Amino acid sequence: MNIVILGSGTGSNAGAILESWRQGRLGKAVPVAIFSDKPQARILTLGEKYGVRAEYVDPGRFRTKLDDEAEQRYVDAIRAAGADLVVLAGFMRVLHDTLLNAFPMKIINLHPSLLPAFPGLHSIKQAYDYGAKYSGCTVHWVTAGLDMGPIIDQSAVRIEDGDTLDSLEAKVHAAEHALLPTVLAKLAG
Ligand code: GRF
């Protein structure tokens, strides 16, 4: 199962996927490319470390979505890489029809809360500020509704009285780094 990873930032989850792969813990899943909408994103530096193609793909003129031409550029790049599955690992743009229709039920997203609680941005802070006693992370299929597609798996973390936003973020990210590679290995069969 060839996977293409899309990300905009540090790529710690992409790193977790690639490290699991290096250690032979990703089953039949094989990362074949990393694409980013940010030319300087740290996620792109992982390509060289793990010997995986890593490229900037021009996102077009908008800030939080891709325009139609840009979506088509992503479709072409993902197809050319031979992807069976697309993994959104911190890709900070909402996908629309061109991409969604090109890969129906073949795109998964990682979200840092126990969906359907706290969708959207700053979800860890939302859970912390709300006073939730549990939060965690979710891997779900990507559909047209933001953070609303069918849930594949989740991992919960307890929010202790002594937790700070920083310590909660660290817990959630650790849960993400464990969950996402596990889901990929299972999906690959
Ligand atoms: C993760 O918390 C993920 O849930 C969210 O964006 C963050 C990406 O972090 N969608 P990283 O770039 O993988 O370090």
Side-chain angles (χ1 to χ4, degrees), residues 7-15 43 88-92 109-113 124 137-138 172-173 176-177:
S8 307
T10 54
S12 67
N13 286 284
I43 191 171
L88 305 185
F91 190 65
M92 301 306 285
N109 182 48
L110 172 68
H111 184 80
S113 77
I124 302 174
C137 54
T138 301
V172 172
H173 291 316
E176 291 186 313
H177 298 160

Side-chain angles (χ1 to χ4, degrees), residues 52-169:
V52 170
R53 194 172 138 211
E55 282 167 25
Y56 163 71
V57 179
D58 183 355
R61 64 190 188 282
F62 298 120
R63 211 169 46 84
T64 58
K65 64 176 186 173
L66 301 163
D67 59 31
D68 287 346
E69 296 77 35
E71 284 220 335
Q72 192 57 52
R73 274 196 291 282
Y74 274 80
V75 168
D76 294 344
I78 291 164
R79 285 217 174 105
D84 300 304
L85 186 80
V86 179
V87 180
L88 305 185
F91 190 65
M92 301 306 285
R93 289 173 191 266
V94 179
L95 307 189
H96 293 284
D97 286 358
T98 302
L99 255 163
L100 295 175
N101 294 340
F103 307 108
M105 297 303 274
K106 286 191 174 166
I107 308 177
I108 67 173
N109 182 48
L110 172 68
H111 184 80
S113 77
L114 294 176
L115 291 172
F118 310 119
L121 291 175
H122 312 299
S123 304
I124 302 174
K125 184 171 187 314
Q126 286 187 58
Y128 184 77
D129 290 348
Y130 196 88
K133 298 302 176 197
Y134 284 90
S135 191
C137 54
T138 301
V139 179
H140 65 95
W141 296 106
V142 175
T143 57
L146 183 68
D147 299 327
M148 276 176 48
I151 290 171
I152 301 169
D153 207 351
Q154 297 183 303
S155 175
V157 303
R158 170 100 181 141
I159 304 176
E160 305 288 353
D161 289 345
D163 266 322
T164 61
L165 180 57
D166 280 352
S167 68
L168 178 58
E169 280 177 346

Side-chain angles (χ1 to χ4, degrees), residues 26-37:
L26 219 50
K28 290 182 186 143
V30 179
V32 292
I34 303 164
F35 295 130
S36 181
D37 58 330

